[in-house]
């Protein structure tokens, strides 16, 4: 029996309701985050002077691959703190972006998960305590005028990428490392007061008020993933014939993208968390599609 | 051709692709996460002609032995306490004194060029 497109989606109830895309995504994210935390703890506990000591989770950071890429191409060597794994993980991320857009950001990146978890605490408190919900509503209303600032701040990640890439090529060392909140968090037992710790604390605090602040404004990896992802044939597509303009998708988007008014989500900022697809109440109105550049949209008839 | 994708399949594919690349590189023998050994399992040691082979996990004794510089001279040049045990890791001592191992590498480079 086929599903009628445009009809209200029937949501499962009871225990079956737990099996949804977002819970599956949280499970995947939790798996990667837990792996990285275990690696960081093991690395902190076993001295590196021991042969076969556990690897640092830094070895799995794709930005290390970006930083060492130029040095590796020109000299065949890796810059300090980078190993062959840095380049291989970068390759995995880029391949993923080419095939599945920003799936790395929305499903795998442990630092993105960490920020989402912090925002989750605020959402939980909002649901649980009316006073917190009221406070959040007031804060949202008062900061509505800051949307223009938000738009400009998003260019920060491109500046970060350009600055640190240029600096790394020039100095042949990881100039971004002291500023990297993720690396600081991984080596928290060795952390000293510096830019990395300050940015980490700021990210933690901001995450309680806005979703994924580091990803939105400063992460130098997200523009690379997003730009490569533009080449992917997989996109989130809105079919206006079935859409009733409720805009619930735009509200759900953690990156504050105007999903409800777009026909295809091609924004670099989209992290493919699929929250918009998940909340859409109409069958066929918002879907994840695979479309070749020469193919027509699912339903070409516009309202 | 345009087709709808199942979001569950999308997530699964993202994980398989990411881990698959790592698995294939491990199978091919090019995967290495260690600063102590190379991908082929060879021990990384200090090469006096290349100060970049000095790693944070090495000790002052290792550096002293390789470059033929007394630990006391290294401590004085890096403005480290003279009573620092030479058996301590470079990374630990340098970080405790708000410096990076790169600072030591820079000094070794300069010293090699006869600047100090």
């Amino acid at each position: 029996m086929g599903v009628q497109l445009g009809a209200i989606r029937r949501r499962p109830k009871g225990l079956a309701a737990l099996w949804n895309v977002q819970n599956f995504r949280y499970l995947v994210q939790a798996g990667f985050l837990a792996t990285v935390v275990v690696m960081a703890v093991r690395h902190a506990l076993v001295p590196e002077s021991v042969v076969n000591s556990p690897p640092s989770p830094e070895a799995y950071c794709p930005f290390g691959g970006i930083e060492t890429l130029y040095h590796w191409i020109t000299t065949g060597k890796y810059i300090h703190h980078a190993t062959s794994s840095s380049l291989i993980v970068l390759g995995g991320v880029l391949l993923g972006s080419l095939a599945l857009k920003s799936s790395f950001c929305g499903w795998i990146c442990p630092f993105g998960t960490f920020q989402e978890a912090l925002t989750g605490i605020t959402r939980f408190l909002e649901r649980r305590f009316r006073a917190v919900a009221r406070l959040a509503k007031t804060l949202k209303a008062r900061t509505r005028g800051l949307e223009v600032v938000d738009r400009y701040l998003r260019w920060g990640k491109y500046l970060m990428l350009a600055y640190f890439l240029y600096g790394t090529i020039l100095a042949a060392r990881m100039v971004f490392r002291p500023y990297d909140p993720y690396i600081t968090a991984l080596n928290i037992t060795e952390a000293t007061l510096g830019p990395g710790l300050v940015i980490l604390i700021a990210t933690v605090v901001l995450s309680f008020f806005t979703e994924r602040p580091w990803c939105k404004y400063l992460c130098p990896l997200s523009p690379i993933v997003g730009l490569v992802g533009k080449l992917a044939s997989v996109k989130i597509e809105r079919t206006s014939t079935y859409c009733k303009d409720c805009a619930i998708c735009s509200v759900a988007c953690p990156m504050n993208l105007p999903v409800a008014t777009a026909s295809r989500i091609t924004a670099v900022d989209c992290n493919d968390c699929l929250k918009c697809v998940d909340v859409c109440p109409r069958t066929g109105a918002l879907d994840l599609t695979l479309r070749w550049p020469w193919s027509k949209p699912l339903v070409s008839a516009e309202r | 051709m345009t087709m709808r994708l199942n979001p569950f399949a999308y997530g699964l594919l993202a994980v398989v692709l990411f881990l698959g690349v790592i698995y294939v590189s491990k199978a091919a023998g090019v995967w290495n996460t260690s600063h102590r050994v190379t991908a082929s399992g060879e021990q990384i040691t200090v090469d006096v002609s290349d100060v970049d082979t000095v790693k944070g996990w090495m000790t002052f004794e290792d550096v002293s032995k390789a470059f033929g510089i007394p630990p006391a001279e290294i401590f004085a040049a890096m403005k480290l306490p003279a009573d620092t045990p030479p058996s301590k890791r470079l990374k630990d001592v340098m970080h405790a004194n708000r410096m990076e191992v790169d600072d030591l590498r820079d000094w070794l480079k300069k010293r090699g060029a006869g600047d100090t």
Side-chain angles (χ1 to χ4, degrees):
Chain A
M1 198 177 75
V3 180
Q4 196 192 344
L5 294 170
I8 295 278
R9 279 207 293 189
R10 288 172 71 179
R11 305 269 180 194
K13 287 179 181 157
L15 275 178
L18 289 174
W19 181 241
N20 59 53
V21 176
Q22 286 312 306
N23 283 348
F24 176 53
R25 190 175 71 90
Y26 296 145
L27 209 65
V28 170
Q29 286 181 302
F32 280 102
L33 181 63
T35 307
V36 164
V37 169
V38 168
M39 284 171 80
V41 171
R42 285 185 65 205
H43 183 70
L45 294 178
V46 182
E48 274 176 292
S49 47
V50 173
V51 180
N52 293 330
S53 57
S56 162
E58 271 191 60
Y60 290 78
C61 179
F63 199 71
I66 299 272
E67 287 176 292
T68 202
L69 188 61
Y70 177 81
H71 196 64
W72 181 71
I73 291 170
T74 52
T75 67
K77 291 178 185 173
Y78 302 100
I79 58 174
H80 292 292
H81 301 290
T83 51
S84 71
S85 63
S86 316
L87 277 178
I88 292 161
V89 171
L90 173 68
V93 171
L94 294 182
L95 194 68
S97 309
L98 210 55
L100 302 165
K101 246 173 101 223
S102 304
S103 55
F104 174 78
C105 301
W107 290 72
I108 296 170
C109 177
F111 200 59
T113 307
F114 174 63
Q115 292 170 82
E116 267 194 66
L118 295 175
T119 313
I121 296 172
T122 306
R123 297 282 176 266
F124 172 77
L125 293 175
E126 276 176 27
R127 280 195 304 271
R128 191 98 184 166
F129 305 102
R130 268 192 203 159
V132 178
R134 268 202 304 275
L135 192 72
K137 206 174 169 184
T138 313
L139 203 68
K140 208 170 179 182
R142 293 246 170 110
T143 54
R144 198 155 284 155
L146 294 175
E147 280 163 8
V148 183
V149 180
D150 167 86
R151 225 172 22 242
Y152 285 111
L153 282 179
R154 285 179 194 236
W155 287 97
K157 51 184 177 283
Y158 296 94
L159 289 176
M160 289 277 279
L161 176 64
Y163 177 75
F164 287 114
L165 216 53
Y166 180 68
T168 304
I169 289 171
L170 223 61
R173 57 180 65 156
M174 288 191 176
V175 289
F176 176 56
R177 198 170 177 272
Y179 299 85
D180 192 335
Y182 176 57
I183 299 301
T184 307
L186 292 178
N187 299 304
I188 199 72
T189 52
E190 297 174 4
T192 50
L193 188 62
L197 192 62
V198 171
I199 295 172
L200 175 65
I201 293 168
T203 305
V204 168
V205 173
L206 283 172
S207 293
F208 287 108
F209 302 99
T210 182
E211 291 186 85
R212 292 184 172 240
W214 171 254
C215 313
K216 264 185 212 163
Y217 306 121
L218 293 173
C219 176
L221 184 67
S222 73
I224 296 172
V225 172
L227 288 170
V228 174
K230 274 188 172 283
L231 302 171
S233 298
V234 171
K235 293 277 186 296
I236 294 168
E237 206 163 321
R238 189 179 69 94
T239 308
S240 55
T241 316
Y242 307 129
C243 176
K244 300 293 176 196
D245 300 321
C246 66
I248 195 170
C249 48
S250 298
V251 175
C253 179
M255 304 306 277
N256 314 109
L257 298 174
V259 185
T261 52
S263 54
R264 273 190 117 192
I265 311 301
T266 54
V268 171
D269 281 355
C270 173
N271 63 23
D272 285 271
C273 62
L274 307 185
K275 278 184 179 172
C276 55
V277 176
D278 216 25
V279 296
C280 181
R282 299 267 166 188
T283 311
L286 200 61
D287 279 305
L288 193 62
T289 63
L290 175 72
R291 190 198 331 166
W292 307 118
W294 56 87
S295 312
K296 285 181 180 171
L298 279 172
V299 175
S300 45
E302 291 293 314
R303 197 182 287 171
Chain B
M1 185 194 74
T2 307
M3 59 185 280
R4 288 189 171 85
L5 280 182
N6 182 324
F8 285 100
Y10 172 86
L12 203 64
L13 205 61
V15 175
V16 168
L17 206 62
F18 181 74
L19 296 180
V21 169
I22 294 175
Y23 181 79
V24 168
S25 69
K26 277 183 180 175
V30 291
W31 175 264
N32 183 31
T33 56
S34 174
H35 298 281
R36 284 185 57 93
V37 288
T38 62
S40 52
E42 290 165 47
Q43 183 88 18
I44 293 171
T45 50
V46 182
D47 175 1
V48 282
S49 64
D50 183 8
V51 293
D52 283 337
T53 54
V54 172
K55 304 288 176 190
W57 58 266
M58 293 173 178
T59 65
F60 283 93
E61 272 168 352
D62 295 332
V63 176
S64 168
K65 211 180 283 176
F67 290 93
I69 308 167
E73 189 184 335
I74 301 174
F75 296 150
M78 301 312 298
K79 296 187 174 63
L80 295 170
D83 58 351
T84 304
S87 58
K88 278 207 152 191
R89 289 192 308 173
L90 302 178
K91 180 166 103 167
D92 294 341
V93 175
M94 298 302 276
H95 287 176
N97 289 279
R98 294 184 171 275
M99 280 187 281
E100 291 292 327
V101 182
D102 279 331
D103 297 319
L104 176 64
R105 292 187 193 108
D106 287 345
W107 177 74
L108 287 168
K109 260 181 209 166
K110 279 184 185 172
R111 193 182 185 278
D115 291 344
T116 53

